[in-house]
Amino acid sequence: MQNLAHIEPLGLPQTRRGHERCVALLESATELFLKRGFEAVSLDDIVNHAGGSKASIYKYFGNKDGLFKAICDYRRSLFFKDICLPFNVNENTDIRAYLIRTLLNFHQHIVMPENAAFMRLIFEQTGRNPDIAQYIHEQGPKHIQNVIAEILTQAHEHGLIYCDNPLFSAQFYFGILRNLEWRILMGIYDPKNDQETDKYITYCVDRFLEGHQKR
């Protein structure tokens, strides 16, 4: 059973049955939104697909926008759980290998058709609702940038790199994937080039680390 700890409904279900009902609503709504588009799907459509009643949606999520935010939280927890693995500088973790692996993990996730489709849906909805845009930015890109910034801070404090502005460096680091990400979102990415992508990521991380050495 998937964990709902990272989503923010109005009231998390306390029972196993309630937990399963909440997950079913999230997964059914996601499937319908991806298939038909957000605007074309009603709460009745979601309930008919998932079972239950609209009362559950109002109870857990408040409204359709609240449901969409919860879906983003839910998918974010699934998306990021295997991307940024634990980093412990005291266990002689190889910062270079860690940074390469994180980008490779990120790339492997965003090339999945459903993840790419959901990212397109997010862009569509953030253009419609500034509040959702701000929320998703805080919980998604900004969150993972802060995670990497903290890791860069640890590496700096232990003398592995020189990084006097870890947040800027984290933003720069994720910029390595920007061209690949756009190609995926526009549907022009060629998976035959995955080996070349691995070389590209390794090359960019090496240049990134060269730029984080004391002169």
Side-chain angles (χ1 to χ4, degrees), residues 24 27-29 31-32 35-36 43-51:
E27 292 183 341
S28 290
E31 181 180 340
L32 292 175
K35 185 181 297 184
R36 304 182 195 170
L43 294 184
D44 286 326
D45 292 332
I46 295 168
V47 169
N48 290 336
H49 190 275

Side-chain angles (χ1 to χ4, degrees), residues 87 89 92-95 151 154-162 209 212-213:
F87 178 86
V89 71
N92 298 317
T93 302
D94 184 341
I95 183 66
I151 289 167
Q154 293 179 41
H156 172 82
E157 291 173 348
H158 285 77
L160 300 179
I161 60 174
Y162 177 75
L209 290 174
H212 286 80
Q213 300 301 314

Side-chain angles (χ1 to χ4, degrees), residues 152-153 156-157 161-169 211-212 214:
L152 296 176
T153 298
H156 172 82
E157 291 173 348
I161 60 174
Y162 177 75
C163 186
D164 59 348
N165 197 321
L167 183 56
F168 282 3
S169 291
H212 286 80
K214 280 194 172 181

Side-chain angles (χ1 to χ4, degrees), residues 15 60 69 78 86 88 108 111 115 117 120 140 146 176 180-181 192:
T15 65
Y60 295 137
K69 286 183 180 180
L78 300 178
N88 190 332
Q108 289 168 2
V111 297
N115 287 338
R120 294 186 194 101
N146 287 337
I176 291 171
L180 294 170
E181 187 175 9
K192 295 177 183 177

